[in-house]
Structures are given as C-alpha cells and as structure tokens.
Amino acid sequence: MQFIARRGAGGHTGAVMSTRPTAPVPGAAAPPSMPAPAGLPGYRAMWVGTSLEYVEFAVFFCVYFTARWFHPQDFQTGAARLWTLGGLLVTVVMVSSGWLLTRMLAAMHSGQRRAAQGWLLAALLLGGCYPLLKLLEWRWNLAHGIHAGAGIFVVVYYYLTINHFVHACWGLLGMGWGLLRLQLGAYSRDDHRGLEALATYWHATDLVWLMIFALFYAFA
C-alpha cells in the first residue's frame, strides 16, 4: 500500500491511497526465521518439532503399556534377555554428547568460536558411537535368539528402539550440518539460534532414550 500525490483541478494537490503492493527493494535481505519466544533458546519451529516428537513417542509408550498390561509375564522376564551393558553404554553416549553440546553453547555465548567448534566436533564423534552400539546390540540380539518372533516384549522393544534410532540419526546429521556452518562463519556470539535449536532437539532425544532405558532395560 502506498500514497500517490495527484494534482486536481485548480492546481490543488491531494494524496490518493493506492492498494497496489509496493515492489520489493532489489537486494533486500529476506525476513529472518521466527525466533523462539523470550526465555526459550533456538527457533519456534524446533520447539514445535520436539513437542510433536514427544507426542509421537507418547503414542509409542501407550503401545508399550497396553502390551505390558495384556502380557505381564513376558515383560517381567524380557529385560533379563536384553544386552544391558549395551543399553547402559548407549545411555552414557547420549547423555555425554548432550553435555558436550551445552559446553558448545557456553563457548558461543562467550564468543569462543574455535572452542565451540571443538565441543561440537566432540559431541558429533561421541554421538556417532550411538549407531555403532545399536548395530552391535542388534547383532548380539540375533545371536541370542532375540528377534521379531521371540515374543511380544521383543516386538515392542524393536518398535520403540528403531524409531528412536531414526530420530537420533537425524540429530547426528544436524550436528554435522551445524559444525559445517559454524566453520563457515554462519553463527556468531550474538546469533547462534541454529545451534541452540540443534541442542534442543538432541536433549529431547536424550529424554526419550532415558524413558526407553528405564522401561526396557532397568524396570521392565
């Protein structure tokens, strides 16, 4: 919308409002992505995404508790069949890599870009142990007869852990992308919301894994 000066009869000049959209200025920067509300790090979209992830896994946990309700004996004896050490190692990897991401953000807040790169690289390398451990665990399961035909407990176990595996791999890809952009100078001390969004997603995946570990490995 813009105002156009128009000269009428008698030489008088008046302003006429036009509803035609104003043409964008060449070279003008695109509007930034919507930041998160005050007090929340990162972007609003990531908080919506993590909330949807929690809703998704809430449905999965409903499947777990429904199956456990109808097959209590299978779930009482199921945890003893799993590779508990593997589950514990995955827990250490997930939580530790999340802690490394918090150190990366602290370095960015202090303006220490090189230190932030080191923390993020360490988080990526440690987090990369997660898929390796899961593959080793699945091989161990098959060697001990823990496959899809081994009962309802094992079916639900694979149902949740494979879905978590997919979400965690997305987080690892996000770490790799964030590290590349950090090295290219895309983030600064004043604006590193992308890295905050990354850490938010990984912490959400951490919490889901802690629930899985408790329900399958520890207290089944």
Side-chain angles (χ1 to χ4, degrees), residues 29-182:
S33 301
M34 182 67 70
L40 294 178
Y43 293 105
R44 187 191 304 269
M46 181 55 71
W47 285 96
V48 173
T50 54
S51 298
L52 293 176
E53 180 184 1
Y54 283 141
V55 171
E56 178 187 9
F57 276 95
V59 175
F60 295 158
F61 289 132
C62 286
V63 172
Y64 170 91
F65 286 111
T66 300
R68 182 169 179 169
W69 176 267
F70 288 102
H71 304 276
Q73 187 60 37
D74 290 338
F75 279 77
Q76 288 175 5
T77 60
R81 303 170 61 188
L82 298 179
W83 186 31
T84 306
L85 177 60
L88 182 60
L89 290 175
V90 169
T91 304
V92 172
V93 165
M94 293 292 295
V95 175
S96 299
S97 57
W99 178 80
L100 291 172
L101 290 179
T102 63
R103 301 307 307 158
M104 176 267 296
L105 291 179
M108 287 301 297
H109 285 307
S110 302
Q112 302 174 354
R113 290 177 50 84
R114 186 173 297 276
Q117 292 179 24
W119 288 114
L120 182 52
L121 177 60
L124 176 59
L125 293 177
L126 183 59
C129 295
Y130 167 83
L132 296 178
L133 286 170
K134 292 306 293 182
L135 292 175
L136 288 175
E137 181 182 9
W138 291 337
R139 289 187 59 183
W140 188 93
N141 289 345
L142 293 177
H144 290 79
I146 304 176
H147 47 74
I152 186 64
F153 173 84
V154 178
V155 171
V156 178
Y157 156 79
Y158 278 117
Y159 180 59
L160 266 78
T161 54
I162 290 177
N163 275 285
H164 181 269
F165 179 85
V166 172
H167 284 77
C169 287
W170 289 344
L172 292 173
L173 291 175
M175 287 188 200
W177 177 245
L179 180 61
L180 177 62
R181 285 178 55 79
L182 181 58

